[in-house]
Amino acid sequence: MKNSNFYKGLFILLTISMVGCKKDLLESTPYSQSTSNTFWRNATDAVSASNALYSLLGDENLFPHTEQTWDICSDDQWRAGDHGEDQAIEEFTFDASNPQLGFSWSLKYEVISRANAILINVPKIEMDKALQDRILGEAYFMRGLMYWQFYKIYGQVPVITEQNVIENSYNVPKATMEEIESRIETDLKTAGDLLLATNDDANIGRATKGAAWGYLAKLYLYKEDFAKAIEYGNKVISGPYQLASNFGDNFEAATDNNPEMLFSIQRIQGWTEDNYCSWYYAPRPWDGWGFQEPTDDLVNEFEEGDPRLGYSIARVGDMIEGGPGGAPREYTEGLNNTGHYFKKYAKWRADGSGVNMDLDVPMLRSADTYLVVAEAKIRSGQSGDAEINAVRERAGVNPISGADIHDLIHERRVELAGENERHADLIRWDKANIVDIVALYAQDRGQWKRPRTFTRPRNYYFPIPQRQIDLSNGVLVQNPNYQ
Amino acid sequence: MKLRFMLKRFFALVVTVASFQVAMAQSSVTGKVTDQSTGAPLSNVSVTVKGSNRGTTTSSTGVYKLSLQAGDASLVFSSTGFAETEVAIGGKSTIDVSLATSSTKLSEIVVVGYGSQSKKDVTGAVSSIKGDQIQNLPVSGATQALQGRVAGVNVVRNGGSPGNAGSIRIRGTGTINNADPLIVIDGIPSGDLNSVNPNDIASVEILKDASASAIYGTRAANGVVIVTTKRGNFEQPLKVSVNSYTGMSQARKTLDVLDAKTLVTLKKERYLNDGIDLNEAWNNPYNLVQRTNWQDELFGNGITNNTDVSLTGGSAKSSFMISAGSYNEKGIIQNSYFKRYSFRINSDHKVGNRLKIGQSLQITRGADNSLNTLSAQDGLIWSAVRFMPFIPVKNENGSWGSSQSEPNQFGDINNPIFTVNTVDAININTRLLANVNAEYEILKGLKFKTNLGVDGSHGSNRNYNIIISDQTRARAENSLSRGFGEGYSLLSEYFLSYNKLFGKHKIDAVAGYTAQTFDGDYFSASKRNFPNEAASQRYLDAGQSLGGIGGNRSYDALQSGFARINYDYNKRYLLTATFRADGSSKFDQGNKWGYFPAVSAGWRISNEKFFNVSFINDLKLTAGWGQLGNQNVGGLQYLALIGNAGNYAFGNTTVGSTAQTRLPNYLISWETAEMTNIGLSAEMFNRSLQVSVNYFNKTTNDMLLSPPTIGTVGRLSIPDKNVGVLNNKGIEIDLSYNNKVGDLSYRVGANASFIQNKVVKLFDGNYIGSSIYGRQSQEISRTYEGLPLGIFYGWKTNGLYQTQAEIDSDPNLKNDSRRTDGLVAPGDVRFLDINGDGKITEGDRTNIGSPHAKMVYGFNTDFNYKSFDLSLFFLGSQGVKIFNADRMQGIDPTYPFNMYAETANRWTGPGSSNSIPRMSTKRNNLNYRTSDMFIEDGSFLRLKNISLGYTFNESFTKKLGIGRTRFYVSGQNVLTFTKYSGLDPELGYVDGNKQLNVDYAQYPQARTVTLGLNVSF
């Protein structure tokens, strides 16, 4: 008995040494994730990293909603929806803690961070040179595009580049206006050099030379460097980026990847995130959320018989495809407050099973670039007729001759209705004394667009989100107009 | 190898000790000790000669034998749970004693880590709760049962939804990170307190200070809760106990909201005040008819049923306890529930004279449907408060009432009754907790112990979302998501314990090794587009398109060595020294190991010769110091992680993507809490009054903080850095008094804690933000250096502007463009210009209140009179502020929602109101920004439980063939005294510990009346 207990005790002791001596007990493994030591191995990793530049673009709080919201300030649309903070944005009564101001801030810097990681690591990978160039080009493009958005909305923001990442220094002061412009210019130019002119079918939707040049032309127009705006705009116009034969093709899921579409956010139902644009723009009783409704003022801007109105904006009596059961249904009074929604962003599936999530979100069309060139030409004393008429004739509207800046303003408003250009355009023209934005916004456009007070120069830019100011502990200084 | 060395050392020690044993035996006495109530023999009873250190313990059959010396006058018998009994020897050679059970605290044994101690020898701060104090409360878990029982232990409940446990805070919130204490169940650290059936609990010990808890090293910084479940006794006849109760619960109160008519009046008034066109929706006479009080519809009667059965018994060599229980709670919100089934087998076995083997096994299955009651976007109670009162629950045609006709006016809220009736969700959690332990007595007093355990959990959840077409928040596509996960923690512990009494010296030592691993694995999948929503079709195979699929694995481990020695000199001077070394997988090479020392001393003043205060039976002063760790933080933070960064498509080509997800911090390490404790405990008036007072000062250094995530970093998760310092200090008082007057015996207990929490250091002196509220993303709580955790941060106000003249002359608005632009009107809130720039801006926000109570207290009394017993238990919190976020939104007319009834008293002209602003659709003055207008006194006193029982005369019940039978009626949350206007003043933590006491209209705690029966035979 005593002996058997002794052996039992011994058995327990043996168990100890077996479990207790496991040497690597304290080693941990990051399952399903890599570390910086195990990534950036080859072209596969580089391509996967480049895909990450795009995967955030469709986030609700980036382009499909938040970045679209800035245009509720314009005379084209009424905010609608139930986001209380939008009232202050639309009426210019916001302060720096308005939540809308902060939603997209860190998302844009996340895209920049992904671009910086590629610019730091991809050059070290031994891989096919052409592919490497394309990926670096995509990173430069996306970084330039993010700073372009920052520049339009806030003016001055901190510029984070590879060097900040290497030095782990993210809390930095705002760059000057010149530094930001030069960062956008350099990035987009480099992208234009490195990117392909067009992509094959498996890569359609990746940035191209045309996309880089299109944004670059716009930057030069904003900087009033008309010669360069024309130079880079013409690179697009003369490149493989011809206008779609049918204006409406740009806004249909089946045809939205056409040469005119310089850049868009690609959506596939069930794979990518939902197309939040569709949710936000579709009328609420029709499965949408009913935001950002076109004003009657915008509808009235269209010339009699301009087919673009029918493609862009719904009016009472329109028959809309994809109703319950797949049959068209009539757009009626009361579906929206203003009696309109932007058709460009909301489509329904043919089988009647709801909002179409395959629809891409257009970001830049070459039609915009034609009008950028036209504006640059007109404002530098040349004729912009050719470019304006290219756009008009494609749409099926009679050409005009001797177009002046006001014709150009009209053309941009109807061609790009709802595409988040109008408010930024008006600010650009106001700065150049072409329009009086204060007077324009002070007009009473009825119940769904009351007079608003635009304050110069304060409302040229939005304030930096208060939370970012607070978090920076004094490093980030608010736009003095909002102090 | 190490072990053999230690063994040698112990043998050497034993030989040395044995040489002190020189006293010559002159005669001897023997006898048997039994339990007075059952007659069963009692083992391990300490038998000592009074006035000496000589003694022995009884054998498993209750027999003892002791040598006597000339002059020995009497023997003292003592054992846990029994009254210390003194018997004169008087020349007898056989003395049999039967011991009566006792409630006297002094003789108690308290369980401490890796051993137990007599309460009178404890030098650290340890609180003990006996199982019978928490039996048969209508609560879903043991966590709730601990609320208010002892000083320094606060259970903070965030809502009363079925199964919601709340968080335990020992001596304040010790860190901004996970501040939950370590839970040790039957020797297995890491268990879930709520997996234990409260009726299975024999005792709960709470190790509060560093000296007591340092034996658990890196997991002890937030205190340790040790749960010991009931076990059988050797030589005990079979005993069957049945506990059954059923309870009925109701909402304590609802919030008063506007009726349809008044609501329409106020909605219209907004347009008039703003000078804009009235929205036609408000002219519809249909909307003037009051149809539904949504809170009354949502809240109904809840029912709680509990039944458990236990069997205990034992032979000379084996004993056991088997129990099974079923707890079923239906909440006061329709269709909310929590169910728990529990099963336990505990047994102990003696193999020969030296080896003991014990085993515990617990299997628990819990299920709930966790309804959404926390969201300020679509939470159920939130929705019920706001949904339009003229909308019916169901329309005449049988369809659900809806705000779909005018969502921008009537709110994009779904009918909450529709939601509770269509929700299809369940979370099931099955837990296994099992261990085998062995104890081998190498020599008298020297034991080798081992404990091998497993803590396993298997969780599964499902959530089916139906198509919603006739509600405002419509859903075009149905979907089902399922998740499965399992976690296993394996524990192995080996240690030696040694105790010896020699002369006036008593030594009790323990040292050992322990390792524990934590493995986790889960996967989840979802599908969309189910053509048929019938219950039988709600399975993944029936879905026609893929939603998402995910899964991952995790691993963590701890490896540790520990040692503790307790030394007692002459029952007067006590010393405890503890040391633990912990290695954690959460940190990088070079930072893995932490070392945690603690020491404490006690002086039993009452045992000093000079001490001569007749009414004080026992007086002890203790002091201790120690360091503790907290490694309960996210793992892998020392690695720069790169992972899945979402899907994208190029044309029709679908792709995945990869991006960095975290920056690394190679230096990350555990948090260290340094704690000092000074305690004084006394027993007075024939041990009827017990008083214990403790002072503690605890500083958490190297607190892990995530640096302020400045937006320029993007969305990378930023690793924590060991930079913060947090201090908690306070005083705890426990009082207990028991007495007997004729047939009436009673006990009164009270406890109170006064704890001050202060953040000493944060990252670069910056603040830490917290969750934002509602659709306006309102910031409510911030944490700043020099202030307590999570203070309320916002604007200060001073009533409303009554006239335009007040606005024009207000220095607060002197330079404010809103004044000159006419955006501030009479009836708007007067915000205070704190920074003196003559404008109301973000710069005027400041600390507007603390959510931490100045005092938390509990108060309980038990009365026994003949066959009746009555107990009352009060719980309270004093000097505490609540931020009523629900009211902030509830009186705000810019939302398309119903409003609080008090809004009817809004400002309508000079002198009409100084607290409820005018009606407006605009946010020009941001009247409802985060401000002191919404801070309320959250102090409360709650009669948490009252219970009246009747025990049938045993001679009567024995005739029926049953033993002790008790019938009782009890009430939970019966009375609440508070000035707080919200649903429930008991609010908890949100967002870790960064936000506390913010009212989101959480699920309120119910008032429950219970009828119950305990029978044993």
Side-chain angles (χ1 to χ4, degrees), chain B residues 124-143:
Chain B
V126 180
S127 292
S128 190
I129 299 166
K130 291 300 160 206
D132 56 11
Q133 285 176 268
I134 55 173
Q135 309 285 286
N136 293 314
L137 296 171
V139 295
S140 60
T143 305

Side-chain angles (χ1 to χ4, degrees), chain A residues 43 57 84 135 150 200 215 226 353 366 371 389 426 444:
Chain A
L57 299 180
I135 291 169
F150 273 129
D200 57 19
Y215 280 111
F226 300 125
S353 59
S366 58
L371 298 177
N389 285 332
L426 289 172
D444 188 348

Side-chain angles (χ1 to χ4, degrees), chain B residues 990-1006:
Chain B
V990 181
D991 188 23
N993 300 313
K994 296 183 212 121
Q995 189 169 85
L996 172 66
N997 269 4
V998 175
D999 194 340
Y1000 286 62
Q1002 285 96 325
Y1003 202 127
Q1005 293 191 43

Side-chain angles (χ1 to χ4, degrees), chain B residues 726-1011:
Chain B
L726 179 70
N727 179 267
N728 280 284
K729 59 185 169 196
I731 291 175
E732 302 160 355
I733 301 169
D734 282 286
L735 290 171
S736 167
Y737 179 73
N738 52 50
N739 201 359
K740 195 166 182 180
V741 183
D743 284 335
L744 175 71
S745 62
Y746 63 95
R747 194 182 71 81
V748 181
N751 67 76
S753 339
F754 308 82
I755 298 177
Q756 282 182 329
N757 172 285
K758 189 171 134 183
V759 178
V760 179
K761 185 167 178 283
L762 293 177
F763 206 88
D764 290 342
N766 211 327
Y767 74 94
I768 294 175
S770 181
S771 296
I772 48 178
Y773 177 79
R775 300 187 186 185
Q776 291 308 305
S777 303
Q778 284 179 274
E779 198 175 2
I780 295 172
S781 306
R782 279 190 180 189
T783 295
Y784 277 98
E785 280 183 6
L787 294 170
L789 278 171
I791 51 115
F792 303 130
Y793 187 75
W795 284 267
K796 286 193 168 170
T797 63
N798 181 15
L800 307 180
Y801 293 111
Q802 300 295 330
T803 61
Q804 186 62 42
E806 282 183 20
I807 296 168
D808 294 340
S809 63
D810 186 2
N812 294 304
L813 296 177
K814 192 161 60 104
N815 304 316
D816 200 317
S817 63
R818 269 183 310 208
R819 180 179 58 83
T820 43
D821 292 348
L823 296 176
V824 185
D828 279 340
V829 178
R830 178 190 286 110
F831 293 100
L832 300 185
D833 177 27
I834 302 293
N835 66 3
D837 62 358
K839 295 189 270 194
I840 300 303
T841 61
E842 278 76 11
D844 299 316
R845 290 171 298 171
T846 183
N847 172 14
I848 52 174
S850 162
H852 298 271
K854 290 198 171 71
M855 172 175 82
V856 250
Y857 60 100
F859 181 77
N860 56 72
T861 62
D862 301 313
F863 299 93
N864 282 287
Y865 179 75
K866 293 184 176 169
S867 296
F868 291 95
D869 61 86
L870 172 69
S871 73
L872 291 100
F873 170 45
F874 290 90
L875 177 77
S877 176
Q878 197 62 37
V880 61
K881 297 277 192 288
I882 291 177
F883 191 91
N884 194 343
D886 194 70
R887 181 172 176 268
M888 174 167 73
Q889 203 185 56
I891 65 167
D892 182 348
T894 65
Y895 286 100
F897 303 144
N898 195 1
M899 294 182 280
Y900 279 27
E902 58 180 304
T903 322
N905 307 318
R906 79 282 180 200
W907 189 94
T908 49
S912 53
S913 171
N914 201 31
S915 58
I916 311 236
R918 70 197 177 99
M919 293 292 105
S920 170
T921 62
K922 306 223 173 197
R923 285 172 217 249
N924 294 337
N925 192 47
L926 294 171
N927 286 329
Y928 309 93
R929 54 177 114 195
T930 307
S931 78
D932 57 9
M933 273 167 64
F934 307 107
I935 290 181
E936 296 184 41
D937 181 355
S939 304
F940 70 90
L941 170 64
R942 179 165 265 183
L943 175 52
K944 197 77 191 164
N945 187 272
I946 175 168
S947 176
L948 175 66
Y950 178 78
T951 305
F952 290 93
N953 191 318
E954 265 188 61
S955 60
F956 167 70
T957 50
K958 268 190 179 148
K959 277 181 201 154
L960 299 173
I962 52 176
R964 189 174 179 274
T965 301
R966 176 173 173 264
F967 171 81
Y968 64 92
V969 54
S970 81
Q972 186 85 349
N973 297 321
V974 182
L975 290 169
T976 304
F977 305 96
T978 183
K979 284 185 207 152
Y980 182 61
S981 71
L983 288 173
D984 193 339
E986 278 194 64
L987 295 165
Y989 289 95
V990 181
D991 188 23
N993 300 313
K994 296 183 212 121
Q995 189 169 85
L996 172 66
N997 269 4
V998 175
D999 194 340
Y1000 286 62
Q1002 285 96 325
Y1003 202 127
Q1005 293 191 43
R1007 179 185 286 156
T1008 306
V1009 177
T1010 309
L1011 295 174

Side-chain angles (χ1 to χ4, degrees), chain A residues 78-84 86 280 282-285 288-293 334-338 448, chain B residues 267 270-271 279 281-282 388 390 402-413 472-473 775 893-898 921 923:
Chain A
W78 181 63
R79 63 179 187 275
D82 60 351
H83 288 180
D86 288 356
Y280 273 99
R284 206 180 260 274
W289 299 339
F291 279 65
Q292 297 186 244
E293 300 174 351
L335 287 170
N336 290 94
N337 293 287
T338 65
W448 307 117
Chain B
K267 291 277 180 189
R270 301 180 307 164
Y271 295 89
N279 188 300
W282 300 109
M388 291 293 152
F390 47 77
S402 148
S403 63
Q404 225 177 6
S405 61
E406 277 289 347
N408 292 333
Q409 293 300 318
F410 302 163
D412 65 333
I413 301 177
T472 296
R473 291 178 88 89
R775 300 187 186 185
T894 65
Y895 286 100
F897 303 144
N898 195 1
T921 62
R923 285 172 217 249

Side-chain angles (χ1 to χ4, degrees), chain B residues 83-140:
Chain B
E84 198 171 86
T85 306
E86 195 177 314
V87 180
I89 299 169
K92 283 175 282 196
S93 62
T94 304
I95 298 175
D96 292 339
V97 175
S98 63
L99 298 181
T101 48
S102 150
S103 62
T104 304
K105 289 206 168 176
L106 246 195
S107 59
E108 273 176 22
I109 295 287
V110 292
V111 179
V112 293
Y114 304 100
S116 57
Q117 250 186 312
S118 173
K119 187 164 178 101
K120 64 181 188 290
D121 295 337
V122 170
T123 52
V126 180
S127 292
S128 190
I129 299 166
K130 291 300 160 206
D132 56 11
Q133 285 176 268
I134 55 173
Q135 309 285 286
N136 293 314
L137 296 171
V139 295
S140 60

